[in-house]
Amino acid sequence: MITNPSTKYRPFPAVALHSRRWPSRTITQAPIWMSTDLRDGNQSLIDPMSIETKIEFFEMLVKIGFKQIEVGFPSASQTEFDFIRRLIVEKRIPDDVTIEVLTQSRTDLIERTFESLEGVPRAIVHLYNAIAPSFRKIVFSMSKDEVKALAVEGTRTIKRCAAERPDTEWTYQYSPETFSMTELSFAREVVDAVSGIWRPTPTHKMIVNLPATVEAAMPNVFADQVEWMDRNIAFRDSIVLSVHPHNDRGTAVAAAEMAILAGADRIEGCLFGNGERTGNVDIVTLAMNLYTQGISPGLDFSDIDAVRRTVERCNKLPVHPRHPYAGDLVYTAFSGSHQDAIRKGFAAQKADEIWEVPYLPIDPADVGRSYDAVIRVNSQSGKGGTTYLLERGIGATPPRRMQIEFSRIVQERADETGIEVTPQGICDLFRQTYFDAKGPVERVAPNTVRFLGVDTPTTGATDVTGIAAVIAKAIGQAVSVVDIEEQRTADGKTAVFVGVRIGGTRGTKHGDQGRDESGVHRYGAAIRDSREMAVVDAVVCAVNRGARAAMSAEPALVAA
Ligand code: KIV
Ligand code: ZN
C-alpha cells in the first residue's frame, strides 16, 4: 500500500488573538541585538572554537557594535569556562558591552556558572528549560507543575548567587525553551512564576526570551504568539521581551521581523545564520534589511567581506555565495537585460540621493564591495554588460553598432570556452579585435601609411573622412565612413571608433542614392595621445579588418 508521508504530520494550530496589532505596524527602530555566535552558534559546530578563536570572534563582535554577547555555557566544558575567565581576567570586555552565559536549572551548574563570572563588572545570567508538551512527556516525563518548579528553583538559586556577589551588576534572563511549541497559557504561567521570584523593576529589568527552538509554524503564527505574550505577561514594563528564532522552515528572518512588530524588544541570533541545524536567525540579514528601510541597525557591516572571512575561518563553514548582502554573487548580474538596466541605473544615480539602481537593493559600496563584480559576462550576457566593463577598462564607449558587434564576439568567446569572460579578458579581446588589427595597410610613421610597399602621406587630411579617402586611394578601393565616434579619455587621450565600408557600390535606383548595397563593413578603433594618429590608426584597423574579411569571404557581423 502506498502511504502519503505527509499524513505523519499535522497542521500547526492558529493562535486565538483578537484584533492583532502587529500586521498594521512598521518597524521604526533597531532592536537590541544579542549575538549568540559564541554559544548557540559554537554548540552547532563540527569543531567547536578554541579559546583563541573565541577571543578573535568576540573582538570582531565588539567591533561590529554588539553590546550583548552570549559568550558560552561555562558549566558545560572547561574550554568554555576558561574562555570566560580569560575575558574577565585579561579585561577584554569593553565598558559598554555585557557578556551573557547560559545555564541549566541545577544548583551545581548554576554555582559553577557564577564561579566562571567571578570579578566581572556586569553580566547576564541566562537560565533555560524546555516547557513544550512533547518535551514534558517524552524527554523529561514531568508534569506541568514540575517543569514550572524547575524554572522557579533555578531562578531562586540564581537570585541567591547574584545577591552573594553584589559587586557585579547582574541581569537575569529566562528562556522557556521550546516556547513556540508550547500552550501559550502555560508559557505565560511559567514566565510569570519566574518573574514573580526575580521581581524585576522598570529600572532593573529582566529579559524574557521566547525561543522558536525548532521553527514549527509560519512567521505570522510566531508573531501572534509574541503579541499574545506581550499583551498578557506580568511585569511587562519591567521586562525586555526577546526572541530567539531558529530557521527550520527557512523563515527565521521573517519571524524575527514580525516579532519586532508584535512587541519584541530584542533579538538573539548569529552572523550569517549559523546555529543548531538550519541555524539561528541571521543577524547580518536582519540588520541590513533595516538599513535598506532607512533605519540604522547600529551594527557596522561596512566591510562585510572581512566579517565573512573571519566567521568562515572561525566556524570552519562557508557562507553561501547567494547569501543576502554577503554572498559572493549577490551584487552580480550575468543576464543581458539586467546588466543593461544596472548600467543605466548607475549612470542615472546621483550621489547623496535615494538609491535607485535597478536590481541592486543596496549600494554594494555600503558593504565595502567595489562595483567591479556587479557586472560579469558569460554566454548569457549582452551588450550592456560587455560595454559597461569595456568602458571601465578602456575609458571610452564605442558607438552602439560597434557595441552590438563586439558583444557578439564576446558571446562567441564565452560559448567556445563555456566560462565567464573576465573584465581583463573583455578588454584584451577588444584590443586584439580592433586596436591591433593587422593587415595589408600599415602606418609606418606618424603621417604615413604603407600598402604593398608603397608609402602614402596622410598629411593634410585631418578628419576621418579625409583619412579614409587617402587610404582608399592608396589601396585602390572605395572606403566609405559609415560610423564614427570620437572621445576624450579621462587621461587626456583621444579615442576614435570608426566603421567603414570597403568596396561595394552605391544604390542607383530612384531613392537609393547614397545607400551602400554591398562591400565589407568593419569597425576599427584606436586610443592615442595624438588625435591625428588615433584617427589614422582607427581607419587603418577598420580597413585591415575589412580586407581580411574580404579575403576570407567572412560574413559581416553587422549589416549596414
Ligand atoms: O534554541 C533555544 O531554545 C535555545 C535556548 C537555550 C534559548 O538556544
Ligand atoms: Zn537556540
Side-chain angles (χ1 to χ4, degrees), residues 57 112 137 362 408 417 479:
F57 207 120
R112 175 89 174 140
K137 187 177 77 178
I362 70 159
R408 289 193 197 151
T417 59
V479 176

Side-chain angles (χ1 to χ4, degrees), residues 380-523:
Q380 298 175 54
S381 310
K383 86 171 167 27
T386 298
T387 305
Y388 175 81
L389 294 178
L390 190 64
E391 279 166 347
R392 291 172 65 81
I394 67 167
T397 314
R400 195 172 162 275
R401 295 169 71 83
M402 192 176 186
Q403 292 173 22
I404 297 169
E405 175 182 291
F406 181 57
S407 106
R408 289 193 197 151
I409 294 171
V410 172
Q411 227 170 2
E412 273 167 22
R413 169 65 60 90
D415 270 329
E416 263 162 44
T417 59
I419 54 170
E420 175 187 3
V421 189
T422 62
Q424 185 61 50
I426 286 176
C427 293
D428 289 348
L429 194 53
F430 190 86
R431 279 196 188 94
Q432 286 157 21
T433 309
Y434 299 107
F435 291 165
D436 303 331
K438 300 277 178 288
V441 187
E442 200 186 347
R443 181 174 59 72
V444 287
N447 293 315
T448 310
V449 292
R450 179 176 294 164
F451 177 69
L452 298 178
V454 178
D455 289 353
T456 308
T458 57
T459 346
T462 50
D463 64 353
V464 174
T465 321
I467 301 282
V470 170
I471 293 176
K473 205 163 166 205
I475 65 172
Q477 288 259 22
V479 176
S480 43
V481 177
V482 294
D483 200 358
I484 172 147
E485 179 79 34
E486 205 176 304
Q487 287 162 24
R488 280 301 265 180
T489 62
D491 55 357
K493 297 185 176 168
T494 303
V496 174
F497 305 92
V498 58
V500 298
R501 177 171 294 282
I502 302 147
T505 55
R506 295 210 170 247
T508 50
K509 281 187 275 160
H510 181 69
D512 272 354
Q513 268 81 357
R515 218 181 94 200
D516 293 316
E517 291 289 314
S518 57
V520 178
H521 176 203
R522 282 293 180 275
Y523 275 100

Side-chain angles (χ1 to χ4, degrees), residues 39-40 102 126 128 175 177-178 209 211-213 244 246 268:
R39 197 280 294 168
D40 212 333
L102 183 71
H126 178 189
Y128 77 101
S175 291
E177 199 198 4
T178 61
N209 181 47
T213 305
H244 178 107
H246 278 268
E268 298 193 352

